[in-house]
Amino acid sequence: IWFVWLRKEDSQKTKQDWEEEEEDDNENGKDKEKKEDKIESLQIDFEDIHERLVQLTSLSGNEGNLEISKDGKTFYFTTHTPGKGGRDIFQIKWDGKDMKELTKGGKNPNNVKLDPKGKYLYMNTKGKLSRIGTNGKELENLPVAAKMKIDYQAELDQIFEEAWRALRDGFYDPEFHGRDWDGLKAKFKPYCMEASTKTDFMYMYNIMLGQLNASHMGLFGRDREQTQSERTGLLGIDVVPHEQGALIQHVIPDSPADKITSTLNTGEIVISVNGEDATGDINFWSLLANTTDEKLLLGVQDKNGNQREVVIRPVGSIRTELYNEWVKERRRLTDEYSGGRLGYLHIRGMDMRSFERFERELTAVGHGKEGIVIDVRFNGGGSTTDYLMAILNVKQHAYTIPRGADTTLSNHKNYREYYPFSTRLPFFAWNKPSIALCNENSYSNAEIFSHAYKNLGIGTLVGRPTFGAVISTGGVGLIDGSYVRMPFRGWFVKANDMNMDLEPARPDIEVFNSPDHKSKGLDEQLQKACEVLLEQLGE
């Protein structure tokens, strides 16, 4: 959070000057209304106003919900509690001092608003309307009750009109890819209004959106009907039916079945779950319905016929564990295909968490390697391509020799490849050779990365053409809580003026992975990338 002085003379005053001025006002009997008139008549000095910025907080940079007291001396905001989980409300003085925590325990407040009198901060906390006094009073929940009659047919009409108008005014191409937006409304609205459920309504509306032939679109929401839902607990094992139960064929690393206290092994048989027999025609996974985060007692038989009991806690998702296992296998294959000369990095998504992982792993995986394979296959997109370009597109302009180096000035050329990038750049830089992989499941910002990597000449692009769906998008909320996505900015390749939303990034070398490559433990696209980069490196 930053504070800006509105006038030059104010920025030169000390805190003592401001306190003395306030005391003088009180002694002279200036009332509140006169003070407010003084504030309202303040003239802003815009000249060099950027030089009068003062940083108030030195936190992680995710402050939000900023509210400012009426006298401008106190700032209220939300941020993550240092060293703890969740977000809370903090306050800080205009001079960056006296910061304190108002709510405690990770209340995760949203929509924080200061009341006109400045006595309370109102907010939503975990679905409840709450308030807390600016003088430090305890957080209190406010009882709220409201009833509303809804004409659902009229509501659907309103949803259609709101979403249609939002796209009319906000879609990135005012010519709608050559389609008649008014004509599409006239054609599809009668079908939408005849739908018997909200789900069918959205289905027809999305068919209308499909006529625009653009990505990153859709109307999303929930139906009023409640349906039963079950969630299967996951142990982290692959099983096949066996006459005595479920035979374990594979154990996923770091999953519940790979913990010290709940270890299961390949070749063992799960014969019971919580005392219920797992044999016969029963579906093994039905025994794990709605068991997420609950302790289960498994009866297990090893390869020698010995039986034991295992206490295990299933989880709701093992996506990350499966992903990490896949990456480790790509890394092993890269080592095999390149004879240990190349490193491998996969970028899971174009978000900051994936970028930070990329930056961290680059220093480890690339250490001592001659080149590196960068993989954006199965990457769903995001927004961090330019961060990656800042790492991969660095050009060395000099080299340095520190004291203690095993050389002298007379043979300084031995240090031509040495430059202290880590102390000179905001990110760790990679200036050795690289090669990139993409495929038909590289989406959105992963496609932007593929275009940039190829057209900026960073290296060779290998794999399959990307999905061909690139648009900057947001969303517009509608009356019932549903929303329609809003593609507001198109992306074009500078090298050839091509619209990325209609054309994919095409690799320099196209390679198919065979249908049975997983079962054979192969990755032909990765193998080809290694071969090409090794050829470029030479002996």
Side-chain angles (χ1 to χ4, degrees), residues 98-197:
D98 301 330
M99 188 175 83
K100 65 179 181 180
E101 190 176 4
L102 294 183
T103 64
K104 300 180 184 296
K107 300 299 182 182
N108 295 319
N110 290 308
N111 302 316
V112 179
K113 298 296 179 185
L114 184 66
D115 80 317
K117 295 183 178 180
K119 290 185 176 181
Y120 294 98
L121 288 163
Y122 288 85
M123 72 206 76
N124 294 326
T125 55
K126 299 178 180 178
K128 299 178 181 178
L129 180 62
S130 309
R131 73 177 184 182
I132 189 170
T134 54
N135 58 0
K137 286 185 178 181
E138 292 292 325
L139 182 71
E140 58 179 322
N141 293 325
L142 303 176
V144 176
K147 293 183 178 180
M148 179 173 63
K149 290 184 177 180
I150 301 175
D151 182 337
Y152 288 109
Q153 191 67 13
E155 184 182 61
L156 288 179
D157 183 83
Q158 181 69 15
I159 292 169
F160 187 100
E161 292 293 334
E162 285 183 12
W164 183 87
R165 285 197 302 269
L167 286 162
R168 178 196 65 190
D169 300 332
F171 186 70
Y172 88 102
D173 177 14
E175 295 182 350
F176 295 94
H177 286 180
R179 301 307 302 269
D180 180 1
W181 190 232
D182 293 300
L184 289 174
K185 174 184 177 181
K187 178 179 179 179
F188 282 93
K189 185 175 181 180
Y191 296 126
C192 291
M193 298 310 299
E194 288 296 321
S196 58
T197 66

Side-chain angles (χ1 to χ4, degrees), residues 225-476:
E225 289 74 12
Q226 296 292 326
T227 57
Q228 184 179 3
S229 62
E230 289 187 337
R231 191 171 187 179
T232 302
L234 302 174
L235 306 177
I237 56 176
D238 288 335
V239 299
V240 294
H242 188 274
E243 60 183 9
Q244 292 177 292
L247 175 64
I248 300 174
Q249 290 192 314
H250 178 65
V251 177
I252 299 167
D254 299 323
S255 67
D258 192 42
K259 306 299 182 185
I260 294 177
T261 57
S262 55
T263 302
L264 300 175
N265 302 298
T266 301
E268 293 184 328
I269 302 171
V270 180
I271 58 178
S272 65
V273 178
N274 276 351
E276 189 171 350
D277 197 0
T279 60
D281 296 331
I282 192 168
N283 184 331
F284 172 73
W285 301 109
S286 68
L287 302 176
L288 301 176
N290 298 320
T291 60
T292 301
D293 295 326
E294 296 181 2
K295 285 186 177 181
L296 294 182
L297 186 63
L298 302 183
V300 180
Q301 178 177 297
D302 65 19
K303 297 177 181 179
N304 299 320
N306 300 316
Q307 295 186 5
R308 72 183 194 280
E309 291 182 333
V310 176
V311 177
I312 194 168
R313 191 186 295 271
V315 294
S317 173
I318 53 174
R319 289 186 63 190
T320 297
E321 290 78 9
L322 287 168
Y323 170 75
N324 289 335
E325 182 184 35
W326 184 82
V327 170
K328 287 180 180 179
E329 177 62 12
R330 299 314 100 187
R331 200 157 285 160
R332 186 195 68 78
L333 287 171
T334 299
D335 201 49
E336 176 185 320
Y337 295 149
S338 69
R341 295 174 63 187
L342 305 179
Y344 171 88
L345 276 172
H346 185 266
I347 306 173
R348 187 176 188 178
M350 295 301 188
D351 52 37
M352 287 309 299
R353 177 177 294 182
S354 296
F355 173 74
E356 288 168 357
R357 175 171 176 168
F358 173 86
E359 190 181 15
R360 180 174 64 250
E361 291 186 344
L362 183 60
T363 60
V365 175
H367 181 68
K369 302 295 183 181
E370 300 174 47
I372 199 165
V373 180
I374 301 169
D375 192 351
V376 294
R377 294 177 297 176
F378 310 104
N379 183 316
S383 61
T384 55
T385 282
D386 293 294
Y387 286 85
L388 295 162
M389 291 297 107
I391 287 177
L392 299 172
N393 210 21
V394 173
K395 306 297 182 184
Q396 185 178 342
H397 57 84
Y399 61 97
T400 62
I401 304 176
R403 178 61 184 266
D406 186 20
T407 189
T408 62
L409 288 181
S410 60
N411 56 357
H412 59 85
K413 292 183 180 180
N414 293 339
Y415 266 68
R416 282 184 55 80
E417 302 307 318
Y418 179 80
Y419 188 82
F421 287 111
S422 60
T423 61
R424 299 283 170 161
L425 295 175
F427 303 127
F428 180 85
W430 181 263
N431 64 330
K432 293 181 181 180
S434 64
I435 197 165
L437 280 168
C438 65
N439 68 0
E440 62 275 15
N441 295 108
S442 301
Y443 185 69
S444 195
N445 200 256
E447 302 183 69
I448 297 175
F449 172 87
S450 302
H451 283 291
Y453 187 89
K454 176 181 177 179
N455 289 301
L456 291 177
I458 297 174
T460 304
L461 188 64
V462 178
R464 294 289 301 152
T466 60
F467 191 81
V470 181
I471 285 182
S472 291
T473 188
V476 177

